Amino acid sequence: VDTGSHAPIIRAAAVPGVTLHALTQARDERGALAALELSAVPFEPKRIFTVYDVPSESVRGAHAHRECQQFLVCVAGRLTCLVDDGESSDEIDMDGPSIGVHIPRLVWGTQWRYSRDAVLLVIASHPYDAADYIRDYDEFLAIVRG
Amino acid sequence: VDTGSHAPIIRAAAVPGVTLHALTQARDERGALAALELSAVPFEPKRIFTVYDVPSESVRGAHAHRECQQFLVCVAGRLTCLVDDGESSDEIDMDGPSIGVHIPRLVWGTQWRYSRDAVLLVIASHPYDAADYIRDYDEFLAIVRG
């Protein structure tokens, strides 16, 4: 299946810099496929991780990164992604692998309302670095407003 | 969570060149995470795709690639991965994101026994190229034995 080479921007979110990209999908009697050429991701991927088995009442994320950019795809189930730059915010429903959400550095990101079967795939621009996390919202506001 | 920077080889498969790698996993009351530093993948990733909604009787794959290498992770559910180089073969049960399977070029790969909720994540070394597929098993044998 030729699933193309692009992940075109569907729309910008209400938070400047946050963009929604279309993944290419194909479906036939043998099942479905969703593809992403990594040249379409706005950074060089260095790490990927999945988040899964999240209790429905749990909130994940709730932090920003000083440098790391992320590209989120909900590869199973559904969840809600909240993005916030300290001035504006947006809530993005992710219910399958049709969209990827690019979250630049210095955007507060929260994911919640995970369905029982939800799996969030995150493509990250940097290897893991604990020092890159901003976990205090007031500190985040001071940085983006400063 | 510091999920480390390596995906160490757990074991070699019965097919030379096919290796099983450990992903780093972390689990707490908020859910689970499985991580892979892309520097641990034995090639530069150019494309990722997921295969999902596969009927249990379906067989996916059943081809080899002339150049493309792949790194497979079962990010939800379970499935069975068959690898075959024309001389030896191996069957690998994949029941979660704890392992990644590196499949070099010129290895015949088949995936089957998808559970209803299975999602296979494939990291590929090349963009999509229809000409890179070998879909005829006899042609495959002629190439690897030639």
Side-chain angles (χ1 to χ4, degrees):
Chain A
V1 182
D2 184 354
T3 49
S5 60
H6 300 291
I9 293 177
I10 304 171
R11 68 171 177 88
V15 174
V18 177
T19 45
L20 275 64
H21 300 249
L23 271 68
T24 309
Q25 289 181 283
R27 183 180 288 271
D28 62 23
E29 69 285 355
R30 300 170 306 133
L33 185 150
L36 177 66
E37 303 286 338
L38 292 176
S39 59
V41 173
F43 54 82
E44 185 187 350
K46 291 291 176 61
R47 179 178 190 242
I48 65 173
F49 58 94
T50 62
V51 179
Y52 58 103
D53 282 355
V54 176
S56 60
E57 68 275 15
S58 275
V59 171
R60 301 284 312 203
H63 62 253
H65 287 277
R66 297 176 199 277
E67 297 298 336
C68 188
Q69 303 179 59
Q70 299 189 322
F71 192 95
L72 277 53
V73 182
C74 177
V75 295
R78 60 186 305 154
L79 56 91
T80 299
C81 173
L82 185 72
V83 288
D84 173 3
D85 67 355
E87 293 203 348
S88 48
S89 64
D90 202 352
E91 200 174 82
I92 302 160
D93 284 320
M94 304 177 74
D95 62 355
S98 58
I99 64 160
V101 179
H102 175 224
I103 303 182
R105 64 189 283 270
L106 294 179
V107 170
W108 191 266
T110 303
Q111 301 89 44
W112 60 348
R113 295 182 196 143
Y114 278 74
S115 65
R116 184 190 183 90
D117 59 345
V119 179
L120 176 65
L121 172 67
V122 180
I123 303 168
S125 66
H126 288 66
Y128 177 82
D129 176 9
D132 193 56
Y133 286 70
I134 306 167
R135 296 190 178 279
D136 182 272
Y137 190 73
D138 288 334
E139 181 189 358
F140 167 71
L141 287 181
I143 291 170
V144 294
R145 291 176 179 171
Chain B
V1 180
D2 185 352
T3 48
S5 59
H6 301 292
I9 294 177
I10 304 171
R11 69 171 176 89
V15 174
V18 176
T19 45
L20 275 64
H21 299 252
L23 271 68
T24 308
Q25 288 181 285
R27 183 180 288 272
D28 62 22
E29 69 285 354
R30 299 171 308 131
L33 185 150
L36 176 67
E37 303 287 338
L38 291 177
S39 58
V41 172
F43 54 81
E44 185 187 349
K46 291 291 177 60
R47 180 179 190 241
I48 64 172
F49 59 93
T50 62
V51 179
Y52 59 101
D53 283 355
V54 176
S56 61
E57 68 277 13
S58 276
V59 171
R60 301 286 311 206
H63 61 253
H65 286 277
R66 297 175 200 279
E67 296 298 335
C68 188
Q69 303 179 58
Q70 298 190 323
F71 192 94
L72 276 53
V73 182
C74 177
V75 296
R78 60 185 306 155
L79 57 92
T80 299
C81 174
L82 185 72
V83 288
D84 173 3
D85 68 356
E87 294 202 349
S88 48
S89 66
D90 203 352
E91 201 174 82
I92 301 160
D93 284 320
M94 305 179 71
D95 63 354
S98 59
I99 63 159
V101 178
H102 174 224
I103 302 182
R105 63 189 283 270
L106 292 180
V107 170
W108 191 265
T110 303
Q111 300 90 43
W112 60 349
R113 294 182 195 144
Y114 278 75
S115 65
R116 187 192 181 90
D117 59 344
V119 179
L120 176 65
L121 172 67
V122 179
I123 303 169
S125 65
H126 287 66
Y128 177 80
D129 175 10
D132 192 56
Y133 286 70
I134 307 168
R135 297 190 178 278
D136 182 90
Y137 189 73
D138 289 334
E139 180 188 358
F140 167 69
L141 288 182
I143 291 170
V144 295
R145 292 176 179 170

